[in-house]
Amino acid sequence: MRAESNESLDVLSVFLTGIPGLEAQHGWLSIPFFTMYIVAIVGNSLIMAAVHVDTALHEPMYLFLSMLAVTEVGVSVSTLPTVMGILWFDARQIDFDGCLAQMFFIHTFSGMESGVLLAMSYDRFVAIYNPLRYTAILTLSRIICMGLGITLKSVMFMAPLPILLRQLPYCHVNVLSHSYCLHSDLIQLPCADTKLNSILGLSIVLATFGLDSLLIVVSYVLILYTVLGIASGEGRRKALNTCVSHICAVLLYYVPMIGVSVMHRAAKHASPLVHTLMSSIYLFVPPVLNPIIYSVKTKPIRQGIFNLFSCKRKWL
């Protein structure tokens, strides 16, 4: 049975869904979607380049920000081919292995993003609790180890998902409800019991996103406790102001995720357009808004990006 199943997977195709009810407007809808991709990829790439080039930005806070930018470019690039393929060319068909690969990269980069947000909350706690030893605690070697640990954890957690899905037999109707491949969608396709896949998926969500969000909350409780111990009101305001951009990034990431989870369980009979909209907000909005927020709220990042273009003009 397994040999027959694996052989059929070599020719199995999956059909993606565009935006339900708005198929006739896909051409027009491609403009805002493509604009979001450009803003997300260019904006985050500029942050990475600024941190890399400007030695003044070689500090823990900005190194973690560049890691966040890497994950957001990864998420954007993972979804771009199928989303724009549907909107531009109505290319809904994707081979099964390609779908599994896309699922793996979307979930891996999303898991990395959650881990980086946790690392950034620890960075803010250290900066406020022990500012004199901030750079001594968060050395470059430790930051690199944290980045490698976040990457390895995400890859190890997500790798079993496509491997287990590939062992299952599949039916003739293989239509997904989004314009990209997600694990929650793919486990609906097999003609076999997917209880193990569902349990594994839930365990990964709890061990990554659930634990990360809990630890972020703990970090901010400790930050608030530390800030309240600062004598001057001006000092408290400055300390909290350094956390504003990160708090916005956390809310942009976790609020849509919670919304998607609630919709998936409590509003199963809602319009497919609503489910598509919530999933799109979760995947597309954070990579677009985070570089804008950090550029507006963080003067050294603005200056670093400005210096990039200044250097370019000098070369020209």
Side-chain angles (χ1 to χ4, degrees):
M1 179 67 181
R2 180 175 295 180
E4 294 174 5
S5 172
N6 287 342
E7 183 180 351
S8 66
L9 293 182
D10 295 334
V11 294
L12 179 66
S13 292
V14 174
F15 292 89
L16 303 170
T17 302
I19 302 176
L22 298 175
E23 289 83 1
Q25 284 75 42
H26 276 181
W28 289 107
L29 289 171
S30 68
I31 298 173
F33 273 89
F34 188 66
T35 301
M36 285 193 293
Y37 276 121
I38 293 297
V39 172
I41 295 172
V42 172
N44 284 290
S45 297
L46 284 174
I47 288 178
M48 288 187 285
V51 173
H52 175 72
V53 171
D54 193 340
T55 55
L57 297 178
H58 292 178
E59 296 182 9
M61 175 182 176
Y62 306 117
L63 294 175
F64 284 124
L65 178 58
S66 68
M67 291 183 194
L68 183 67
V70 169
T71 65
E72 291 181 336
V73 169
V75 171
S76 298
V77 171
S78 297
T79 59
L80 186 150
T82 53
V83 172
M84 297 313 302
I86 289 174
L87 295 178
W88 277 341
F89 310 112
D90 198 35
R92 302 174 184 271
Q93 186 173 350
I94 180 174
D95 69 88
F96 188 69
D97 286 335
C99 191
L100 290 180
Q102 185 185 50
M103 177 203 74
F104 171 77
F105 284 115
I106 290 174
H107 290 309
T108 297
F109 282 115
S110 295
M112 289 169 61
E113 185 172 358
S114 177
V116 172
L117 288 172
L118 173 59
M120 294 174 79
S121 70
Y122 174 69
D123 165 77
R124 290 299 82 211
F125 169 69
V126 173
I128 293 172
Y129 180 76
N130 201 344
L132 296 179
R133 299 195 65 242
Y134 174 52
T135 54
I137 294 172
L138 288 172
T139 61
L140 179 59
S141 60
R142 286 177 180 168
I143 292 171
I144 291 173
C145 287
M146 291 171 72
L148 291 175
I150 290 168
T151 303
L152 184 61
K153 184 190 81 169
S154 189
V155 170
M156 288 180 62
F157 274 136
M158 302 306 172
L161 298 180
I163 294 173
L164 289 177
L165 282 170
R166 217 181 187 285
Q167 309 307 310
L168 298 171
Y170 287 82
C171 306
H172 295 292
V173 179
N174 296 299
V175 181
L176 301 181
S177 59
H178 298 291
S179 51
Y180 36 80
C181 302
L182 299 176
H183 183 257
S184 57
D185 246 4
L186 283 167
I187 60 173
Q188 308 299 323
L189 300 183
C191 300
D193 184 17
T194 58
K195 187 176 181 180
L196 175 62
N197 303 73
S198 298
I199 293 173
L200 178 62
L202 179 60
S203 301
I204 290 172
V205 168
L206 293 176
T208 53
F209 308 107
L211 182 59
D212 289 348
S213 60
L214 177 62
L215 292 176
I216 289 172
V217 171
V218 171
S219 296
Y220 272 98
V221 170
L222 295 173
I223 287 172
L224 186 59
Y225 179 78
T226 304
V227 169
L228 291 176
I230 299 175
S232 69
E234 181 66 17
R236 289 194 293 268
R237 188 190 66 79
K238 286 184 177 179
L240 288 175
N241 192 50
T242 64
C243 300
V244 170
S245 297
H246 179 255
I247 291 172
C248 290
V250 170
L251 292 176
L252 280 172
Y253 182 79
Y254 283 104
V255 170
M257 176 188 288
I258 294 170
V260 169
S261 179
V262 170
M263 289 291 299
H264 183 69
R265 288 164 176 78
K268 291 183 178 179
H269 301 295
S271 166
L273 178 60
V274 175
H275 288 279
T276 300
L277 179 62
M278 290 298 297
S279 297
S280 297
I281 291 173
Y282 165 58
L283 284 176
F284 300 146
V285 171
V288 171
L289 291 186
N290 278 337
I292 296 174
I293 291 171
Y294 272 97
S295 298
V296 170
K297 291 292 296 179
T298 313
K299 184 177 179 180
I301 291 294
R302 287 201 309 273
Q303 187 62 45
I305 294 173
F306 176 77
N307 291 341
L308 281 177
F309 291 101
S310 298
C311 291
K312 184 177 181 181
R313 284 199 295 269
K314 288 178 182 178
W315 279 103
L316 293 176

